[in-house]
Amino acid sequence: YSGKKKEQQLTENMMNMKVRDFQSIPVVVQESFSVYDAITQMFLEDVGTLIVVDDNSFLSGILSRKDLLRTAIGTTELEKIPVHMIMTRMPNISYCHKNETLVQAAKLLIERQIDALPVVEDADGGLSVVGRLTKTNITKAFLSLAENHDF
Ligand code: ADP
Protein backbone atom coordinates (compact mmCIF):
# COMPACT_ATOMS: atom_id res chain seq x y z
CA TYR A 1 0.00 0.00 0.00
CA SER A 2 1.07 3.53 -0.66
CA GLY A 3 1.23 6.07 2.17
CA LYS A 4 -1.89 7.72 0.82
CA LYS A 5 -3.84 4.46 0.79
CA LYS A 6 -2.78 3.67 4.36
CA GLU A 7 -3.83 7.09 5.49
CA GLN A 8 -7.25 6.65 3.88
CA GLN A 9 -7.59 3.26 5.55
CA LEU A 10 -6.74 4.73 8.96
CA THR A 11 -9.27 7.52 8.52
CA GLU A 12 -11.91 5.02 7.43
CA ASN A 13 -11.19 2.75 10.42
CA MET A 14 -11.40 5.73 12.75
CA MET A 15 -14.73 6.96 11.43
CA ASN A 16 -16.13 3.42 11.65
CA MET A 17 -15.53 3.30 15.41
CA LYS A 18 -18.93 3.63 17.05
CA VAL A 19 -19.98 4.32 20.62
CA ARG A 20 -21.71 0.91 20.71
CA ASP A 21 -18.40 -0.92 20.15
CA PHE A 22 -16.57 0.72 23.05
CA GLN A 23 -19.21 1.75 25.62
CA SER A 24 -19.21 0.44 29.20
CA ILE A 25 -22.06 -0.74 31.40
CA PRO A 26 -23.84 2.21 33.03
CA VAL A 27 -23.54 2.53 36.79
CA VAL A 28 -26.72 4.22 38.00
CA VAL A 29 -28.19 5.42 41.28
CA GLN A 30 -31.69 6.61 42.16
CA GLU A 31 -32.41 10.30 42.85
CA SER A 32 -33.29 9.42 46.44
CA PHE A 33 -29.88 7.81 47.12
CA SER A 34 -27.94 9.66 49.81
CA VAL A 35 -24.61 11.28 49.01
CA TYR A 36 -23.05 8.79 51.43
CA ASP A 37 -24.46 5.82 49.48
CA ALA A 38 -23.38 7.36 46.18
CA ILE A 39 -19.79 7.67 47.43
CA THR A 40 -19.90 4.02 48.54
CA GLN A 41 -21.30 3.01 45.15
CA MET A 42 -18.58 4.92 43.32
CA PHE A 43 -15.90 2.97 45.21
CA LEU A 44 -17.67 -0.39 44.91
CA GLU A 45 -18.21 -0.05 41.17
CA ASP A 46 -14.82 1.55 40.60
CA VAL A 47 -16.15 4.36 38.38
CA GLY A 48 -15.55 8.10 38.29
CA THR A 49 -19.05 9.12 37.20
CA LEU A 50 -22.44 7.95 38.46
CA ILE A 51 -25.57 8.36 36.37
CA VAL A 52 -28.73 9.33 38.25
CA VAL A 53 -32.12 8.02 37.12
CA ASP A 54 -35.67 8.97 38.13
CA ASP A 55 -38.49 6.67 39.24
CA ASN A 56 -39.16 5.74 35.59
CA SER A 57 -35.47 4.83 35.14
CA PHE A 58 -35.01 7.80 32.80
CA LEU A 59 -31.85 9.90 32.78
CA SER A 60 -32.11 12.60 35.41
CA GLY A 61 -28.60 13.61 36.56
CA ILE A 62 -24.87 13.09 36.74
CA LEU A 63 -22.52 12.87 39.72
CA SER A 64 -18.78 13.32 39.29
CA ARG A 65 -16.05 12.65 41.85
CA LYS A 66 -15.71 16.35 42.54
CA ASP A 67 -19.48 16.84 42.99
CA LEU A 68 -19.28 14.28 45.81
CA LEU A 69 -16.01 15.63 47.23
CA ARG A 70 -17.38 19.17 47.31
CA THR A 71 -20.36 18.01 49.35
CA ALA A 72 -18.23 15.79 51.58
CA ILE A 73 -15.91 18.61 52.67
CA GLY A 74 -18.80 21.01 53.29
CA THR A 75 -21.24 18.76 55.15
CA THR A 76 -21.27 16.24 57.95
CA GLU A 77 -24.60 14.49 57.48
CA LEU A 78 -24.00 12.88 54.10
CA GLU A 79 -26.59 10.17 54.85
CA LYS A 80 -29.30 12.82 54.93
CA ILE A 81 -28.63 14.58 51.64
CA PRO A 82 -30.26 13.00 48.58
CA VAL A 83 -28.13 13.06 45.43
CA HIS A 84 -30.78 14.99 43.50
CA MET A 85 -29.84 18.05 45.59
CA ILE A 86 -26.24 18.12 44.37
CA MET A 87 -26.23 16.45 40.94
CA THR A 88 -25.94 18.16 37.55
CA ARG A 89 -29.42 17.72 36.15
CA MET A 90 -31.40 17.48 32.93
CA PRO A 91 -31.63 19.34 30.59
CA ASN A 92 -27.97 20.23 31.22
CA ILE A 93 -26.63 16.72 30.65
CA SER A 94 -24.47 15.93 27.64
CA TYR A 95 -25.18 12.44 26.31
CA CYS A 96 -24.74 10.33 23.19
CA HIS A 97 -26.43 7.53 21.29
CA LYS A 98 -24.85 4.16 20.55
CA ASN A 99 -24.83 4.66 16.78
CA GLU A 100 -22.80 7.86 16.96
CA THR A 101 -19.11 7.83 16.08
CA LEU A 102 -16.51 7.86 18.82
CA VAL A 103 -15.12 11.02 17.25
CA GLN A 104 -18.45 12.81 17.90
CA ALA A 105 -18.48 11.59 21.50
CA ALA A 106 -14.82 12.56 22.04
CA LYS A 107 -15.56 16.05 20.73
CA LEU A 108 -18.37 16.43 23.26
CA LEU A 109 -16.18 15.24 26.14
CA ILE A 110 -13.49 17.78 25.27
CA GLU A 111 -15.81 20.70 24.48
CA ARG A 112 -17.78 20.30 27.71
CA GLN A 113 -14.68 19.40 29.76
CA ILE A 114 -16.26 16.29 31.26
CA ASP A 115 -15.09 12.71 31.80
CA ALA A 116 -18.13 10.69 30.78
CA LEU A 117 -21.33 10.65 28.74
CA PRO A 118 -24.43 8.56 29.40
CA VAL A 119 -25.34 6.49 26.33
CA VAL A 120 -29.10 6.80 25.88
CA GLU A 121 -32.04 5.57 23.82
CA ASP A 122 -35.03 7.80 23.19
CA ALA A 123 -38.09 6.48 25.00
CA ASP A 124 -41.62 7.68 25.58
CA GLY A 125 -41.33 10.40 28.23
CA GLY A 126 -37.57 10.41 28.70
CA LEU A 127 -34.19 8.95 27.88
CA SER A 128 -33.35 5.35 28.81
CA VAL A 129 -29.77 4.84 29.95
CA VAL A 130 -28.13 1.98 28.08
CA GLY A 131 -24.42 2.68 28.60
CA ARG A 132 -21.61 4.92 29.73
CA LEU A 133 -18.84 6.33 27.55
CA THR A 134 -15.71 7.58 29.28
CA LYS A 135 -12.29 8.93 28.40
CA THR A 136 -10.97 5.42 29.17
CA ASN A 137 -13.18 4.00 26.41
CA ILE A 138 -11.79 6.59 23.99
CA THR A 139 -8.21 5.74 25.04
CA LYS A 140 -8.88 2.03 24.45
CA ALA A 141 -10.30 2.82 21.02
CA PHE A 142 -7.24 4.92 20.21
CA LEU A 143 -5.02 1.99 21.15
CA SER A 144 -7.05 -0.50 19.10
CA LEU A 145 -6.71 1.80 16.11
CA ALA A 146 -2.93 1.83 16.50
CA GLU A 147 -2.77 -1.95 17.03
CA ASN A 148 -4.89 -2.71 13.98
CA HIS A 149 -2.89 -0.39 11.79
CA ASP A 150 -0.06 -1.68 9.67
CA PHE A 151 2.44 1.20 9.93
P1 ADP B 1 -14.85 16.02 38.06
O1 ADP B 1 -15.91 16.98 38.56
O2 ADP B 1 -14.57 14.92 39.04
O3 ADP B 1 -13.64 16.71 37.56
P2 ADP B 1 -16.11 15.89 35.42
O4 ADP B 1 -15.08 16.77 34.77
O5 ADP B 1 -16.63 14.75 34.64
O6 ADP B 1 -15.51 15.28 36.77
O7 ADP B 1 -17.35 16.79 35.88
C1 ADP B 1 -17.31 18.18 35.95
C2 ADP B 1 -18.72 18.72 36.22
O8 ADP B 1 -19.54 18.46 35.08
C3 ADP B 1 -19.42 18.08 37.42
O9 ADP B 1 -20.13 19.06 38.14
C4 ADP B 1 -20.38 17.07 36.80
O10 ADP B 1 -21.60 16.93 37.52
C5 ADP B 1 -20.64 17.66 35.43
N1 ADP B 1 -20.77 16.60 34.40
C6 ADP B 1 -20.09 15.43 34.30
N2 ADP B 1 -20.49 14.72 33.24
C7 ADP B 1 -21.46 15.44 32.64
C8 ADP B 1 -22.30 15.26 31.47
N3 ADP B 1 -22.22 14.16 30.71
N4 ADP B 1 -23.18 16.23 31.17
C9 ADP B 1 -23.28 17.36 31.93
N5 ADP B 1 -22.54 17.59 33.02
C10 ADP B 1 -21.64 16.65 33.38
Side-chain angles (χ1 to χ4, degrees):
Y1 277 174
S2 68
K4 194 88 193 159
K5 198 81 186 277
K6 279 187 180 176
E7 191 186 306
Q8 276 170 6
Q9 189 64 54
L10 184 59
T11 307
E12 194 184 312
N13 289 348
M14 186 170 72
M15 297 316 289
N16 278 336
M17 292 195 302
K18 297 291 167 66
V19 167
R20 56 151 28 96
D21 304 321
F22 291 91
Q23 71 186 42
S24 296
I25 288 167
V27 177
V28 303
V29 298
Q30 299 287 327
E31 289 178 342
S32 58
F33 253 53
S34 71
V35 171
Y36 185 93
D37 289 337
I39 292 172
T40 306
Q41 188 73 351
M42 189 172 269
F43 276 103
L44 281 176
E45 299 287 345
D46 195 18
V47 293
T49 307
L50 294 171
I51 300 169
V52 186
V53 293
D54 65 19
D55 292 339
N56 298 314
S57 293
F58 292 144
L59 176 63
S60 136
I62 286 270
L63 292 163
S64 74
R65 283 182 271 233
K66 275 185 226 150
D67 291 333
L68 297 172
L69 267 179
R70 193 183 303 117
T71 309
I73 58 167
T75 326
T76 46
E77 299 194 287
L78 297 177
E79 299 89 344
K80 294 196 180 148
I81 305 170
V83 291
H84 71 76
M85 287 186 64
I86 68 150
M87 69 188 188
T88 300
R89 63 184 61 248
M90 283 297 271
N92 299 321
I93 312 280
S94 304
Y95 53 81
C96 64
H97 292 88
K98 60 183 196 289
N99 295 328
E100 285 175 44
T101 66
L102 273 192
V103 171
Q104 285 172 295
K107 196 155 179 271
L108 210 50
L109 288 171
I110 294 301
E111 281 175 359
R112 306 280 161 90
Q113 301 187 12
I114 50 180
D115 291 344
L117 298 172
V119 184
V120 302
E121 271 170 14
D122 301 307
D124 220 11
L127 298 169
S128 304
V129 181
V130 297
R132 175 173 58 94
L133 193 84
T134 69
K135 287 181 173 173
T136 303
N137 299 133
I138 307 277
T139 307
K140 280 185 181 162
F142 177 73
L143 195 57
S144 81
L145 203 59
E147 282 171 342
N148 290 331
H149 190 66
D150 161 36
F151 287 105

